[in-house]
Amino acid sequence: PSNFAGDVTLIGLEATLELSGETQVWENLISGSFIIKRVPGNHHSYLRKSAPQTAQSLEGAVADALG
């Protein structure tokens, strides 16, 4: 993939974020700021069991992006 010249907010799952190595991949591809917002759960549970926290993270990321 090519580099991205903007800011990135990654909504990552606490259960798998560090294990997947995806944070390092993103950090190497962007030249703007890189923010990680962790949400509880794993791939199968984060929307069902942690919907309010996930929604709050998404709302915050959108609000930050819009200024």
Side-chain angles (χ1 to χ4, degrees):
S2 60
N3 288 350
F4 180 68
D7 300 333
V8 171
T9 299
L10 174 68
I11 308 294
L13 305 174
E14 287 179 344
T16 60
L17 187 60
E18 299 304 322
L19 299 175
S20 69
E22 65 187 290
T23 58
Q24 188 65 42
V25 171
W26 278 107
E27 287 176 309
N28 292 335
L29 290 175
I30 65 166
S31 61
S33 67
F34 181 61
I35 299 167
I36 300 172
K37 295 189 181 236
R38 289 174 169 78
V39 294
N42 61 38
H43 180 75
H44 300 286
S45 68
Y46 78 101
L47 284 177
R48 285 179 278 153
K49 295 182 180 178
S50 304
Q53 295 95 326
T54 302
Q56 184 177 18
S57 292
L58 289 168
E59 287 174 349
V62 170
D64 291 345
L66 296 176

